[in-house]
Every structure is written in structure tokens, then in C-alpha cells.
Amino acid sequence: MKFSTGIGVASTLTLALAGASQAYAKASAPSGNLNLRIDGYEVLAPTVNSPAQYTVTGLGQVIGNSSGTLDGVLTYTLVDVSAATQDTCSDTVSGTITPPTGNFSQAGGSFTASLTLTETSGGGECESSTIALLCNRTLLHHDFVDDLNAGTYHCIATSVTPNDSSPIPASLTVRIGSVEGANAPND
């Protein structure tokens, strides 16, 4: 009886110590360097033609901080579906990610974000614009719930407004996420 009780106590102690070491193991914080991906389409009215649908595909990187401020670059292609033409655009990006009011269990945990794209090079239909986004977020670890540059934001565009016109019809998906792995920048 003493032997089986001793095994039970030893097993319980071993499990408790294993659990304690996992409880104290903290995931490392993300660097704040965030990948930016954009996919979808928008409807543009070129100066010489009638409105056309353009597919949009882009990659970039932004630097985020714990207050939700973003700065970086984005390169994307605009493909005119009807004319089979393509423009490659390069923009600087500035913006913000705003957390839900109250706590994360309220209002569906939705974030809002705004990205201002300022054209630095390109031609054709490339132009500066502002994209308003509605986002939710996937976290790798719950400890990062208050760190706004942690996790990956999955967003849809609620409006796209070129600098020289009113909002245009668009269906864009935007993902903003932490850089991980061997190629991650060092802080």
C-alpha cells in the first residue's frame, strides 16, 4: 500500500511540475514587422474607357507598434479583366488598426483599420487611395490579446476611396500578419 501511494504521489508531483514549466513558458513577442497581402477586385473608370473591373493582388510589409500604427510599402498589380492589361503599382502605406471598444468579447471582437496608399511609382490606373477595413484577428497565444501587432488580421474592405474621386465598388481581402521563421527581421 505504501509503495502504490508513493507511486501516486510521485506521478502527481511529476505532472504538477510538468504543468508548472508549461505555465511559465512564454511565447516570444512578435517583432512588429508585419506581412501585408491584398487580393480581390475593384471597379475603376479609366479616363478614356467605360468602367472596368480590375483584379488586385499585392504583397508588402508594414511596421506595426503596440498602439496600432502602421508604416511600410506595398507592391500590387491591377489587371483589367476586359482588356487583358496589367499595371504594377508601388505605394507607401500608412495606417492604423483600432481595437474593439470595451473588451474583446463584445461587438464580435471586430477591429477597424485604415490604410492610406500613396503612389510612389507605376502608371496607367495606379493611384493613391484610402482603404477602410473591418477585421478580426487570429492569435497564436492568448497572452498577446492586448498587443495590437500580434497575430494575423483578416480584413475586408468596407470602402476604397481614390484621392481624386469618390468611393469605388471593391471587394478586397487584406491580411496583415506577423513575420515568423528564419527570415524574420531582428529587433
Side-chain angles (χ1 to χ4, degrees), residues 13-88:
L13 184 58
T14 302
L15 290 173
L17 290 174
S21 66
Q22 288 178 352
Y24 290 111
K26 298 276 186 190
S28 61
S31 68
N33 294 287
L34 306 170
N35 287 324
L36 174 62
R37 294 188 65 131
I38 186 168
D39 296 295
Y41 73 88
E42 56 189 25
V43 177
L44 300 174
T47 53
V48 293
N49 297 324
S50 59
Q53 179 176 311
Y54 289 75
T55 61
V56 180
T57 305
L59 293 171
Q61 189 173 51
V62 293
I63 307 297
N65 65 25
S66 61
S67 66
T69 302
L70 304 170
D71 288 297
V73 294
L74 173 68
T75 299
Y76 60 97
T77 58
L78 288 173
V79 177
D80 181 338
V81 177
S82 61
T85 59
Q86 174 178 305
D87 293 316
T88 301

Side-chain angles (χ1 to χ4, degrees), residues 85-182:
T85 59
Q86 174 178 305
D87 293 316
T88 301
C89 310
S90 294
D91 292 359
T92 59
V93 178
S94 61
T96 56
I97 297 175
T98 305
T101 56
N103 61 46
F104 291 102
S105 64
Q106 296 175 347
S110 295
F111 291 76
T112 57
S114 176
L115 298 177
T116 300
L117 309 178
T118 304
E119 181 185 357
T120 57
S121 68
E125 297 306 314
C126 299
E127 63 179 299
S128 301
S129 62
T130 299
I131 304 172
L133 302 167
L134 180 63
C135 310
N136 64 21
R137 182 172 63 148
T138 303
L139 287 174
L140 295 176
H141 196 276
H142 66 82
D143 283 352
F144 298 138
V145 70
D146 294 321
D147 186 356
L148 296 185
N149 67 347
T152 300
Y153 295 85
H154 306 275
C155 309
I156 57 169
T158 56
S159 72
V160 176
T161 307
N163 283 0
D164 61 355
S165 66
S166 45
I168 58 173
S171 176
L172 299 174
T173 301
V174 177
R175 289 177 298 285
I176 306 168
S178 301
V179 175
E180 297 177 329

